[in-house]
Amino acid sequence: MKRWGYCISLAVLGFEILQLSGMNGTRKKLEDQKKMTEKNREQYLLLNQWLKLRQSGKSICNYLSEKGYKTVAIYGMGMNGKRVVQELKDSGIEALYGIDKKADSIVSEINVLAADADLPETDAIVVSEPVYIEEITKLLKTKVHCPIVSLEEAIYESF
């Protein structure tokens, strides 16, 4: 009888472990989905403001020009970074290079360097990623001595 009780206890314990591990997996999935939802929300709000800025006849180029920046690097060469490159064309502000963790796999009309590379001097770096701005700024401050401007700042300050 003791043997059966021991086997049943082990079976129940195993079942509980499986349930808990499943719950932890579900909890992690929910946390990941929440982070992704927040990131998408921030992206939507940023792009909406950028569109409003453009519809008012202004551009982030106005902000960068007012600050005296003639050359910039762009951190984050995803969708936002590529739009910044396009917006700077024929503006008098040159996008010297991009910076991205996935530099090797990015196709861009400007040179893209890895975040851990030696970064050439520029007047400023525009960070196109709205969600991780604190971490990116902290990293860049250890590597460069120029101002670090968030795309979000450039958009909101241009109104």
Side-chain angles (χ1 to χ4, degrees):
M1 187 67 169
K2 285 184 180 182
R3 193 179 317 181
W4 279 107
Y6 181 72
C7 289
I8 290 172
S9 295
L10 282 177
V12 169
L13 180 62
F15 181 72
E16 288 176 359
I17 289 171
L18 284 174
Q19 276 191 316
L20 287 174
S21 66
M23 288 174 58
N24 286 339
T26 301
R27 185 175 294 127
K28 180 164 177 15
K29 284 179 187 175
L30 288 174
E31 288 172 8
D32 289 348
Q33 286 176 345
K34 185 177 177 183
K35 286 178 187 176
M36 184 58 73
T37 299
E38 183 59 27
K39 184 176 179 178
N40 288 338
R41 180 180 173 281
E42 291 293 322
Q43 179 72 8
Y44 166 78
L45 293 173
L46 180 69
L47 292 176
N48 186 54
Q49 283 302 115
W50 199 352
L51 179 59
K52 287 168 60 176
L53 178 68
R54 296 294 291 162
Q55 289 174 335
S56 73
K58 297 178 183 174
S59 162
I60 61 169
C61 300
N62 302 101
Y63 174 83
L64 297 172
S65 182
E66 286 173 11
K67 296 287 186 182
Y69 306 144
K70 292 180 176 43
T71 60
V72 297
I74 302 163
Y75 186 101
M77 289 304 296
M79 178 178 63
N80 290 350
K82 289 177 181 175
R83 297 295 70 78
V84 172
V85 170
Q86 289 298 310
E87 187 141 334
L88 294 179
K89 276 188 175 181
D90 302 321
S91 71
I93 301 168
E94 183 182 1
L96 292 179
Y97 59 92
I99 308 164
D100 201 288
K101 292 183 291 187
K102 301 175 187 173
D104 293 339
S105 62
I106 293 179
V107 176
S108 175
E109 51 191 274
I110 62 173
N111 189 28
V112 180
L113 304 174
D116 60 356
D118 288 332
L119 303 176
E121 294 218 10
T122 184
D123 293 337
I125 296 177
V126 177
V127 179
S128 71
E129 176 58 53
V131 178
Y132 305 108
I133 187 69
E134 287 97 22
E135 297 94 11
I136 294 167
T137 300
K138 188 175 178 180
L139 167 74
L140 290 174
K141 281 186 176 181
T142 67
K143 301 184 67 57
V144 297
H145 300 290
C146 64
I148 299 163
V149 178
S150 72
L151 176 59
E152 186 173 30
E153 175 187 340
I155 289 170
Y156 281 91
E157 297 284 325
S158 293
F159 279 101

